[in-house]
Amino acid sequence: MPDMPAPHTQAPNIQTLDIQAPDIQAPDIQAIEAAARRLDGHARRTPLLTSPFLDEIAGRRVFVKAECLQHTGSFKYRGAWSAVSALEPGLRAQGVIAYSSGNHAQGVALAARQHRVPAVIIMPNDAPKMKIDNTRALGAEVVLYDRAAQDRDAIGLALSTQRGLTLIKPYDDAMVIAGQASTGLEIAEQAAAEGITAADVLVCCGGGGLTSGIAIALASRATGLRARPVEPAEFDDVTRSLATGTRQHNAHAAGSLCDAIVTPTPGALTLPVMARLCGPGIVVTDDEALRAVALAWSRLKVVLEPGGAVALAAALFHGDEIATPDVICVASGGNVDPDVFARALAMLDG
């Protein structure tokens, strides 16, 4: 294995940014630990997987946090359970509403069913069919919309007002972030068990709920580990926001195979956290994400969706942007349609 640059030190890596924190605050470590206690016995503690074949491709040790093995096939269950369980019982009984391309949808649908309360899920009509079908199968009412022409926030606000439902946002919700952050607590413990003292923790990033939650947890529990967002090309709003110090928007609302992490702009709650605690973003192509899906299957025997594989893609194909001898990748989801998975596996023959 080639010589590596000296490990980074944990410190804000970006100058003061022109990004203002919202009135509501992101969760602190106490709120994250409280969410982890509520999740105990409900969320799975997912493994940290390794493969010498992946290490060889990356030129460093690669550890994969397999959140694709979480309930509903995604880390989103953590935030959904955290948010639903934190509601006042009378309010929770009226029901919840969420908007999602699929993974948050399934997480909220399952958490609502487990709490025996109704759930309405607003989903884009171009979401993978499997995600739409799974959300309905979990007992939620699904409302489809055109993400290129309609505003999901407006739809969610109208329905929540009409029906008295509590809106659980996919990332701009303190209790959702606290639940996602339990992933970071586990990473800190697992890294310590592996003797990892310095590493970039690459996180598949859409609105930033998982990334910011992990960043807060690591800042408290593993100061040698630094969270870094990874995004698909042309939907790299977080990466550009961190680099420029101003909130960036994507030019298109859809068009990437990484549908699970396509968002219009970073979260108002999450971006200030990422600006303060995260390293620079990494941007990968759809083809790189598909190659990572194929390699995860062939070398780790786990199924990833493209959006859940971008962190692994960054570790494998963007090593020149990583300075630490170890890298931890969060494999955030595995809800992939069969045709996309077949397309990825075909790359193994290339």
Side-chain angles (χ1 to χ4, degrees), residues 29 44 74 134 148 312 316:
I29 191 62
R44 292 172 177 155
S74 163
N134 286 352
L312 178 58
L316 297 178

Side-chain angles (χ1 to χ4, degrees), residues 86 139 159 265 329 331:
L159 283 172
T265 191
C329 313

Side-chain angles (χ1 to χ4, degrees), residues 19-99:
I19 299 169
Q20 298 300 314
D23 291 337
I24 186 171
Q25 295 300 307
D28 57 17
I29 191 62
Q30 287 75 31
I32 290 168
E33 290 173 338
R37 287 192 293 271
R38 293 197 306 278
L39 282 160
D40 187 32
H42 301 284
R44 292 172 177 155
R45 181 182 175 90
T46 55
L48 206 59
L49 305 178
T50 61
S51 163
F53 299 101
L54 297 183
D55 294 351
E56 184 177 359
I57 295 170
R60 53 174 48 84
R61 292 201 303 173
V62 176
F63 297 83
V64 179
K65 178 64 169 169
E67 279 296 294
C68 54
L69 302 177
Q70 189 55 258
H71 296 303
T72 71
S74 163
F75 76 96
K76 289 288 190 177
Y77 175 78
R78 296 177 184 264
W81 177 274
S82 171
V84 174
S85 64
L87 290 173
E88 185 275 323
L91 187 62
R92 183 170 60 229
Q94 297 179 48
V96 296
I97 186 170
Y99 43 81

